[in-house]
């Protein structure tokens, strides 16, 4: 099937980034969120980020103007019913995603491809609760979407070849590269990345090093562009904890046990950059370690 109209659920950092790259690739985009302020913030952020791309000569002003004209927003989920492809990029909680699909599916065209940007949840299980498991896939973008070139494509047990081929075509049109992953907890990137972050939190928890020394060690010792605790704050500590819980529950291996300190930070509402505090405090001019 030919995909021309893309619906995106969730106007947060990931959803707005997906809208950004889809519009630049020539797709008509309909961005949905239950929060009107989130939609306003997303469109302002997309415009600002495209302005930055123009100033750096990554795109032309004409590219930007054309892309922005192709983005529409809606607070009504069922408005996405006429889209050819829907990408769900809501909160990383299975109950939330199930509720979204339950409301959306009856409004979809029979041939609409339904995908999820989940970073860890079973594609097969999510798909089984819809009317189109053969037209359901994992479409996992990396953050920040306009900058990162990778997309993980994950087939559920029922996903058909036509759906896979159509999603691969979208990845190519976006100018990105696909990594094909099997449907196991956290797929490839987060299966490797999150235990590393969790181990860094254990190193902090056990007093082996403080926040600053851990991040410095990994940046200078392994050439990582960002230390693991700084990266955790960027991703969101709630998301990190959610993925670790999926790994621990899904694989039943104690090596995936979330660090109690990670749980404590999430309980405190210190979720990283988005809340102003995590392993660093971002409320001043410069980030300050909180431990």
């Amino acid at each position: 099937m030919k995909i021309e109209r893309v619906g995106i659920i969730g106007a947060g950092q990931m959803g707005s980034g997906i809208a950004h790259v889809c519009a630049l690739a020539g797709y008509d985009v309909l961005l949905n969120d239950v929060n009107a302020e989130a939609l306003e913030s997303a469109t302002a952020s997309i415009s600002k980020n495209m302005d930055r791309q123009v100033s750096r000569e990554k795109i032309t002003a004409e590219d930007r103007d054309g892309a922005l004209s192709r983005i529409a927003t809606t607070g009504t989920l069922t408005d996405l019913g006429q889209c050819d492809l829907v990408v769900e990029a809501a909160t990383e909680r299975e109950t939330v995603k199930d509720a979204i699909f339950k409301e959306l599916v009856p409004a979809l065209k029979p041939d609409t491809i339904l995908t999820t940007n989940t970073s860890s949840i079973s594609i097969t299980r999510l798909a089984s609760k819809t009317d189109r498991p053969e037209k359901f896939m994992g479409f996992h973008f990396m953050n920040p979407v306009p900058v990162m070139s990778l997309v993980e494509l994950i087939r559920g047990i029922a996903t058909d070849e036509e759906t896979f081929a159509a999603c691969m075509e979208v990845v190519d049109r976006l100018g990105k590269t696909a990594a094909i992953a099997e449907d196991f907890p956290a797929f490839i990137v987060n299966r490797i990345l999150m235990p590393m972050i969790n181990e860094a939190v254990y190193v902090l928890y056990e007093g082996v090093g403080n926040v600053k020394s851990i991040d410095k060690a990994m940046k200078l010792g392994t050439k990582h562009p960002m230390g693991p605790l700084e990266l955790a704050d960027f991703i969101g500590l709630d998301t990190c904890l959610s993925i670790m819980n999926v790994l621990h529950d899904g694989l039943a291996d104690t090596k995936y046990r979330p660090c109690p300190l990670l749980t404590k930070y999430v309980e405190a509402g210190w979720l990283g950059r988005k809340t102003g505090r995590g392993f660093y405090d971002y409320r001043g001019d410069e980030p300050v370690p909180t431990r």
Side-chain angles (χ1 to χ4, degrees), residues 50-89:
M50 286 188 185
D51 286 344
R52 188 180 295 117
Q53 287 179 302
V54 171
S55 68
R56 293 176 180 174
E57 299 183 348
K58 300 286 187 184
I59 63 174
T60 67
E62 290 76 18
D63 292 335
R64 175 199 60 201
D65 295 344
L68 291 174
S69 73
R70 285 189 286 271
I71 299 174
T73 63
T74 178
T76 304
L77 182 61
T78 51
D79 286 349
L80 275 59
Q82 294 306 302
C83 292
D84 306 312
L85 168 70
V86 174
V87 183
E88 173 273 313

mmCIF file of all heavy atoms in Angstrom, residues 50-89:
data_model
loop_
_atom_site.group_PDB
_atom_site.id
_atom_site.type_symbol
_atom_site.label_atom_id
_atom_site.label_comp_id
_atom_site.label_asym_id
_atom_site.label_seq_id
_atom_site.Cartn_x
_atom_site.Cartn_y
_atom_site.Cartn_z
ATOM 1 N N MET A 50 13.387 23.199 13.113
ATOM 2 C CA MET A 50 13.579 23.348 11.668
ATOM 3 C C MET A 50 14.315 24.648 11.345
ATOM 4 O O MET A 50 15.139 24.678 10.423
ATOM 5 C CB MET A 50 12.229 23.294 10.946
ATOM 6 C CG MET A 50 11.630 21.904 10.881
ATOM 7 S SD MET A 50 10.159 21.853 9.822
ATOM 8 C CE MET A 50 9.617 20.166 10.089
ATOM 9 N N ASP A 51 14.038 25.705 12.106
ATOM 10 C CA ASP A 51 14.792 26.963 11.934
ATOM 11 C C ASP A 51 16.278 26.716 12.160
ATOM 12 O O ASP A 51 17.129 27.244 11.432
ATOM 13 C CB ASP A 51 14.295 28.022 12.924
ATOM 14 C CG ASP A 51 12.944 28.610 12.549
ATOM 15 O OD1 ASP A 51 12.527 28.429 11.388
ATOM 16 O OD2 ASP A 51 12.303 29.239 13.418
ATOM 17 N N ARG A 52 16.590 25.908 13.175
ATOM 18 C CA ARG A 52 17.987 25.582 13.461
ATOM 19 C C ARG A 52 18.605 24.811 12.287
ATOM 20 O O ARG A 52 19.759 25.060 11.912
ATOM 21 C CB ARG A 52 18.068 24.757 14.743
ATOM 22 C CG ARG A 52 19.491 24.534 15.231
ATOM 23 C CD ARG A 52 19.544 23.718 16.506
ATOM 24 N NE ARG A 52 18.922 24.422 17.613
ATOM 25 C CZ ARG A 52 17.854 23.994 18.256
ATOM 26 N NH1 ARG A 52 17.271 22.857 17.910
ATOM 27 N NH2 ARG A 52 17.355 24.675 19.260
ATOM 28 N N GLN A 53 17.831 23.893 11.697
ATOM 29 C CA GLN A 53 18.341 23.149 10.550
ATOM 30 C C GLN A 53 18.602 24.065 9.351
ATOM 31 O O GLN A 53 19.568 23.884 8.616
ATOM 32 C CB GLN A 53 17.342 22.049 10.156
ATOM 33 C CG GLN A 53 17.313 20.879 11.123
ATOM 34 C CD GLN A 53 16.300 19.821 10.711
ATOM 35 O OE1 GLN A 53 15.112 20.110 10.573
ATOM 36 N NE2 GLN A 53 16.761 18.614 10.501
ATOM 37 N N VAL A 54 17.726 25.061 9.172
ATOM 38 C CA VAL A 54 17.921 26.032 8.088
ATOM 39 C C VAL A 54 19.198 26.832 8.332
ATOM 40 O O VAL A 54 20.021 27.022 7.422
ATOM 41 C CB VAL A 54 16.708 26.989 7.963
ATOM 42 C CG1 VAL A 54 17.014 28.122 6.984
ATOM 43 C CG2 VAL A 54 15.474 26.229 7.508
ATOM 44 N N SER A 55 19.397 27.296 9.573
ATOM 45 C CA SER A 55 20.579 28.103 9.894
ATOM 46 C C SER A 55 21.870 27.316 9.706
ATOM 47 O O SER A 55 22.918 27.882 9.405
ATOM 48 C CB SER A 55 20.491 28.637 11.322
ATOM 49 O OG SER A 55 20.608 27.597 12.274
ATOM 50 N N ARG A 56 21.784 25.990 9.865
ATOM 51 C CA ARG A 56 22.966 25.131 9.689
ATOM 52 C C ARG A 56 23.060 24.561 8.275
ATOM 53 O O ARG A 56 23.900 23.714 7.992
ATOM 54 C CB ARG A 56 22.930 23.989 10.705
ATOM 55 C CG ARG A 56 23.089 24.474 12.142
ATOM 56 C CD ARG A 56 22.949 23.347 13.138
ATOM 57 N NE ARG A 56 23.099 23.821 14.513
ATOM 58 C CZ ARG A 56 22.901 23.070 15.590
ATOM 59 N NH1 ARG A 56 22.535 21.794 15.446
ATOM 60 N NH2 ARG A 56 23.060 23.573 16.793
ATOM 61 N N GLU A 57 22.140 25.014 7.437
ATOM 62 C CA GLU A 57 22.100 24.621 6.019
ATOM 63 C C GLU A 57 21.889 23.125 5.833
ATOM 64 O O GLU A 57 22.337 22.534 4.859
ATOM 65 C CB GLU A 57 23.366 25.085 5.293
ATOM 66 C CG GLU A 57 23.531 26.608 5.314
ATOM 67 C CD GLU A 57 24.747 27.081 4.535
ATOM 68 O OE1 GLU A 57 25.606 26.244 4.166
ATOM 69 O OE2 GLU A 57 24.828 28.291 4.287
ATOM 70 N N LYS A 58 21.159 22.522 6.785
ATOM 71 C CA LYS A 58 20.772 21.107 6.654
ATOM 72 C C LYS A 58 19.561 20.978 5.730
ATOM 73 O O LYS A 58 19.407 19.977 5.030
ATOM 74 C CB LYS A 58 20.437 20.515 8.023
ATOM 75 C CG LYS A 58 21.573 20.562 9.029
ATOM 76 C CD LYS A 58 22.636 19.562 8.721
ATOM 77 C CE LYS A 58 23.673 19.510 9.831
ATOM 78 N NZ LYS A 58 24.789 18.582 9.510
ATOM 79 N N ILE A 59 18.667 21.995 5.798
ATOM 80 C CA ILE A 59 17.504 22.069 4.922
ATOM 81 C C ILE A 59 17.367 23.512 4.438
ATOM 82 O O ILE A 59 18.000 24.418 4.985
ATOM 83 C CB ILE A 59 16.197 21.628 5.645
ATOM 84 C CG1 ILE A 59 15.883 22.574 6.828
ATOM 85 C CG2 ILE A 59 16.294 20.180 6.109
ATOM 86 C CD1 ILE A 59 14.545 22.309 7.512
ATOM 87 N N THR A 60 16.533 23.710 3.422
ATOM 88 C CA THR A 60 16.295 25.070 2.936
ATOM 89 C C THR A 60 15.061 25.662 3.624
ATOM 90 O O THR A 60 14.273 24.936 4.236
ATOM 91 C CB THR A 60 16.061 25.078 1.416
ATOM 92 O OG1 THR A 60 14.821 24.392 1.135
ATOM 93 C CG2 THR A 60 17.205 24.397 0.668
ATOM 94 N N ALA A 61 14.914 26.969 3.501
ATOM 95 C CA ALA A 61 13.725 27.629 4.057
ATOM 96 C C ALA A 61 12.462 27.100 3.398
ATOM 97 O O ALA A 61 11.415 26.968 4.041
ATOM 98 C CB ALA A 61 13.840 29.142 3.865
ATOM 99 N N GLU A 62 12.565 26.764 2.105
ATOM 100 C CA GLU A 62 11.413 26.207 1.377
ATOM 101 C C GLU A 62 11.047 24.828 1.927
ATOM 102 O O GLU A 62 9.860 24.498 2.059
ATOM 103 C CB GLU A 62 11.721 26.107 -0.122
ATOM 104 C CG GLU A 62 11.815 27.441 -0.831
ATOM 105 C CD GLU A 62 13.123 28.193 -0.547
ATOM 106 O OE1 GLU A 62 14.110 27.550 -0.069
ATOM 107 O OE2 GLU A 62 13.145 29.415 -0.772
ATOM 108 N N ASP A 63 12.075 24.019 2.243
ATOM 109 C CA ASP A 63 11.829 22.706 2.856
ATOM 110 C C ASP A 63 11.071 22.871 4.173
ATOM 111 O O ASP A 63 10.094 22.167 4.437
ATOM 112 C CB ASP A 63 13.153 21.985 3.151
ATOM 113 C CG ASP A 63 13.896 21.560 1.902
ATOM 114 O OD1 ASP A 63 13.244 21.374 0.862
ATOM 115 O OD2 ASP A 63 15.132 21.411 1.983
ATOM 116 N N ARG A 64 11.554 23.820 4.983
ATOM 117 C CA ARG A 64 10.921 24.066 6.286
ATOM 118 C C ARG A 64 9.468 24.501 6.128
ATOM 119 O O ARG A 64 8.573 23.945 6.776
ATOM 120 C CB ARG A 64 11.703 25.153 7.024
ATOM 121 C CG ARG A 64 11.078 25.602 8.347
ATOM 122 C CD ARG A 64 11.616 26.958 8.782
ATOM 123 N NE ARG A 64 11.321 27.981 7.778
ATOM 124 C CZ ARG A 64 11.991 29.134 7.666
ATOM 125 N NH1 ARG A 64 12.983 29.404 8.480
ATOM 126 N NH2 ARG A 64 11.649 30.009 6.724
ATOM 127 N N ASP A 65 9.244 25.469 5.261
ATOM 128 C CA ASP A 65 7.889 26.006 5.099
ATOM 129 C C ASP A 65 6.933 24.941 4.578
ATOM 130 O O ASP A 65 5.785 24.839 5.019
ATOM 131 C CB ASP A 65 7.902 27.217 4.155
ATOM 132 C CG ASP A 65 8.680 28.388 4.739
ATOM 133 O OD1 ASP A 65 8.943 28.379 5.958
ATOM 134 O OD2 ASP A 65 9.044 29.299 3.966
ATOM 135 N N GLY A 66 7.418 24.136 3.640
ATOM 136 C CA GLY A 66 6.583 23.062 3.095
ATOM 137 C C GLY A 66 6.252 22.029 4.148
ATOM 138 O O GLY A 66 5.107 21.569 4.261
ATOM 139 N N ALA A 67 7.262 21.669 4.959
ATOM 140 C CA ALA A 67 7.056 20.663 5.999
ATOM 141 C C ALA A 67 6.069 21.163 7.054
ATOM 142 O O ALA A 67 5.152 20.439 7.456
ATOM 143 C CB ALA A 67 8.392 20.302 6.657
ATOM 144 N N LEU A 68 6.234 22.396 7.486
ATOM 145 C CA LEU A 68 5.332 22.945 8.508
ATOM 146 C C LEU A 68 3.893 23.021 8.007
ATOM 147 O O LEU A 68 2.949 22.820 8.783
ATOM 148 C CB LEU A 68 5.811 24.330 8.950
ATOM 149 C CG LEU A 68 7.120 24.350 9.759
ATOM 150 C CD1 LEU A 68 7.576 25.785 10.021
ATOM 151 C CD2 LEU A 68 6.961 23.596 11.086
ATOM 152 N N SER A 69 3.727 23.274 6.714
ATOM 153 C CA SER A 69 2.379 23.351 6.143
ATOM 154 C C SER A 69 1.698 21.984 6.091
ATOM 155 O O SER A 69 0.487 21.892 5.962
ATOM 156 C CB SER A 69 2.426 23.957 4.734
ATOM 157 O OG SER A 69 2.973 23.037 3.806
ATOM 158 N N ARG A 70 2.504 20.922 6.186
ATOM 159 C CA ARG A 70 1.952 19.564 6.115
ATOM 160 C C ARG A 70 1.591 19.003 7.488
ATOM 161 O O ARG A 70 1.117 17.873 7.592
ATOM 162 C CB ARG A 70 2.953 18.629 5.414
ATOM 163 C CG ARG A 70 3.026 18.817 3.910
ATOM 164 C CD ARG A 70 3.861 17.741 3.230
ATOM 165 N NE ARG A 70 5.283 17.930 3.471
ATOM 166 C CZ ARG A 70 6.092 18.670 2.719
ATOM 167 N NH1 ARG A 70 5.594 19.328 1.672
ATOM 168 N NH2 ARG A 70 7.376 18.788 2.996
ATOM 169 N N ILE A 71 1.843 19.751 8.557
ATOM 170 C CA ILE A 71 1.543 19.264 9.907
ATOM 171 C C ILE A 71 0.249 19.885 10.422
ATOM 172 O O ILE A 71 0.114 21.102 10.486
ATOM 173 C CB ILE A 71 2.693 19.598 10.884
ATOM 174 C CG1 ILE A 71 3.996 18.930 10.439
ATOM 175 C CG2 ILE A 71 2.331 19.133 12.301
ATOM 176 C CD1 ILE A 71 5.210 19.323 11.266
ATOM 177 N N ALA A 72 -0.693 19.030 10.761
ATOM 178 C CA ALA A 72 -1.942 19.467 11.400
ATOM 179 C C ALA A 72 -2.027 18.791 12.763
ATOM 180 O O ALA A 72 -1.368 17.774 13.008
ATOM 181 C CB ALA A 72 -3.138 19.086 10.541
ATOM 182 N N THR A 73 -2.807 19.366 13.669
ATOM 183 C CA THR A 73 -2.948 18.788 15.011
ATOM 184 C C THR A 73 -4.414 18.560 15.344
ATOM 185 O O THR A 73 -5.301 19.202 14.781
ATOM 186 C CB THR A 73 -2.324 19.708 16.088
ATOM 187 O OG1 THR A 73 -3.029 20.959 16.104
ATOM 188 C CG2 THR A 73 -0.847 19.953 15.816
ATOM 189 N N THR A 74 -4.654 17.636 16.271
ATOM 190 C CA THR A 74 -6.017 17.357 16.722
ATOM 191 C C THR A 74 -5.991 16.803 18.137
ATOM 192 O O THR A 74 -5.068 16.074 18.515
ATOM 193 C CB THR A 74 -6.728 16.358 15.794
ATOM 194 O OG1 THR A 74 -8.044 16.103 16.322
ATOM 195 C CG2 THR A 74 -5.983 15.031 15.709
ATOM 196 N N GLY A 75 -7.009 17.148 18.893
ATOM 197 C CA GLY A 75 -7.168 16.586 20.228
ATOM 198 C C GLY A 75 -8.073 15.371 20.241
ATOM 199 O O GLY A 75 -8.281 14.744 21.278
ATOM 200 N N THR A 76 -8.608 15.023 19.073
ATOM 201 C CA THR A 76 -9.549 13.895 18.953
ATOM 202 C C THR A 76 -8.849 12.704 18.318
ATOM 203 O O THR A 76 -8.474 12.743 17.145
ATOM 204 C CB THR A 76 -10.764 14.296 18.105
ATOM 205 O OG1 THR A 76 -11.369 15.456 18.674
ATOM 206 C CG2 THR A 76 -11.777 13.156 18.044
ATOM 207 N N LEU A 77 -8.684 11.644 19.075
ATOM 208 C CA LEU A 77 -7.930 10.476 18.625
ATOM 209 C C LEU A 77 -8.503 9.866 17.354
ATOM 210 O O LEU A 77 -7.769 9.498 16.427
ATOM 211 C CB LEU A 77 -7.898 9.434 19.748
ATOM 212 C CG LEU A 77 -7.115 8.142 19.479
ATOM 213 C CD1 LEU A 77 -5.649 8.440 19.227
ATOM 214 C CD2 LEU A 77 -7.266 7.183 20.664
ATOM 215 N N THR A 78 -9.824 9.779 17.274
ATOM 216 C CA THR A 78 -10.444 9.105 16.120
ATOM 217 C C THR A 78 -10.279 9.878 14.811
ATOM 218 O O THR A 78 -10.538 9.325 13.741
ATOM 219 C CB THR A 78 -11.941 8.855 16.388
ATOM 220 O OG1 THR A 78 -12.551 10.084 16.807
ATOM 221 C CG2 THR A 78 -12.129 7.795 17.470
ATOM 222 N N ASP A 79 -9.816 11.134 14.882
ATOM 223 C CA ASP A 79 -9.524 11.886 13.650
ATOM 224 C C ASP A 79 -8.409 11.224 12.846
ATOM 225 O O ASP A 79 -8.265 11.484 11.653
ATOM 226 C CB ASP A 79 -9.111 13.329 13.977
ATOM 227 C CG ASP A 79 -10.288 14.198 14.400
ATOM 228 O OD1 ASP A 79 -11.438 13.747 14.235
ATOM 229 O OD2 ASP A 79 -10.050 15.318 14.895
ATOM 230 N N LEU A 80 -7.635 10.362 13.496
ATOM 231 C CA LEU A 80 -6.532 9.684 12.811
ATOM 232 C C LEU A 80 -7.021 8.509 11.965
ATOM 233 O O LEU A 80 -6.229 7.834 11.311
ATOM 234 C CB LEU A 80 -5.501 9.183 13.821
ATOM 235 C CG LEU A 80 -4.428 10.180 14.267
ATOM 236 C CD1 LEU A 80 -5.035 11.409 14.915
ATOM 237 C CD2 LEU A 80 -3.428 9.535 15.229
ATOM 238 N N GLY A 81 -8.318 8.271 11.970
ATOM 239 C CA GLY A 81 -8.891 7.104 11.298
ATOM 240 C C GLY A 81 -8.585 6.987 9.821
ATOM 241 O O GLY A 81 -8.504 5.884 9.288
ATOM 242 N N GLN A 82 -8.415 8.110 9.129
ATOM 243 C CA GLN A 82 -8.182 8.071 7.682
ATOM 244 C C GLN A 82 -6.697 8.053 7.311
ATOM 245 O O GLN A 82 -6.349 8.131 6.130
ATOM 246 C CB GLN A 82 -8.866 9.268 7.018
ATOM 247 C CG GLN A 82 -10.381 9.228 7.097
ATOM 248 C CD GLN A 82 -10.939 7.926 6.539
ATOM 249 O OE1 GLN A 82 -10.709 7.582 5.380
ATOM 250 N NE2 GLN A 82 -11.669 7.188 7.377
ATOM 251 N N CYS A 83 -5.836 7.960 8.288
ATOM 252 C CA CYS A 83 -4.399 7.909 8.003
ATOM 253 C C CYS A 83 -4.017 6.537 7.431
ATOM 254 O O CYS A 83 -4.664 5.526 7.712
ATOM 255 C CB CYS A 83 -3.594 8.190 9.268
ATOM 256 S SG CYS A 83 -3.761 9.895 9.859
ATOM 257 N N ASP A 84 -2.957 6.523 6.642
ATOM 258 C CA ASP A 84 -2.460 5.268 6.060
ATOM 259 C C ASP A 84 -1.559 4.523 7.043
ATOM 260 O O ASP A 84 -1.473 3.298 7.020
ATOM 261 C CB ASP A 84 -1.665 5.562 4.782
ATOM 262 C CG ASP A 84 -2.465 6.377 3.790
ATOM 263 O OD1 ASP A 84 -3.630 6.013 3.531
ATOM 264 O OD2 ASP A 84 -1.939 7.387 3.264
ATOM 265 N N LEU A 85 -0.875 5.296 7.866
ATOM 266 C CA LEU A 85 0.030 4.740 8.881
ATOM 267 C C LEU A 85 -0.172 5.523 10.166
ATOM 268 O O LEU A 85 -0.231 6.748 10.147
ATOM 269 C CB LEU A 85 1.495 4.890 8.417
ATOM 270 C CG LEU A 85 2.584 4.622 9.462
ATOM 271 C CD1 LEU A 85 2.642 3.136 9.818
ATOM 272 C CD2 LEU A 85 3.944 5.090 8.945
ATOM 273 N N VAL A 86 -0.283 4.820 11.283
ATOM 274 C CA VAL A 86 -0.384 5.474 12.591
ATOM 275 C C VAL A 86 0.795 5.021 13.438
ATOM 276 O O VAL A 86 1.092 3.825 13.524
ATOM 277 C CB VAL A 86 -1.712 5.130 13.305
ATOM 278 C CG1 VAL A 86 -1.711 5.697 14.730
ATOM 279 C CG2 VAL A 86 -2.901 5.667 12.523
ATOM 280 N N VAL A 87 1.481 5.998 14.049
ATOM 281 C CA VAL A 87 2.592 5.704 14.958
ATOM 282 C C VAL A 87 2.175 6.148 16.356
ATOM 283 O O VAL A 87 1.981 7.332 16.596
ATOM 284 C CB VAL A 87 3.887 6.438 14.547
ATOM 285 C CG1 VAL A 87 5.037 6.037 15.480
ATOM 286 C CG2 VAL A 87 4.243 6.157 13.092
ATOM 287 N N GLU A 88 2.022 5.191 17.254
ATOM 288 C CA GLU A 88 1.675 5.518 18.642
ATOM 289 C C GLU A 88 2.973 5.819 19.403
ATOM 290 O O GLU A 88 3.891 4.997 19.433
ATOM 291 C CB GLU A 88 0.927 4.332 19.267
ATOM 292 C CG GLU A 88 0.652 4.477 20.752
ATOM 293 C CD GLU A 88 1.806 3.967 21.580
ATOM 294 O OE1 GLU A 88 2.311 2.867 21.298
ATOM 295 O OE2 GLU A 88 2.212 4.690 22.514
ATOM 296 N N ALA A 89 3.045 7.039 19.974
ATOM 297 C CA ALA A 89 4.244 7.454 20.714
ATOM 298 C C ALA A 89 3.828 8.044 22.062
ATOM 299 O O ALA A 89 4.328 9.091 22.477
ATOM 300 C CB ALA A 89 5.050 8.457 19.902
#
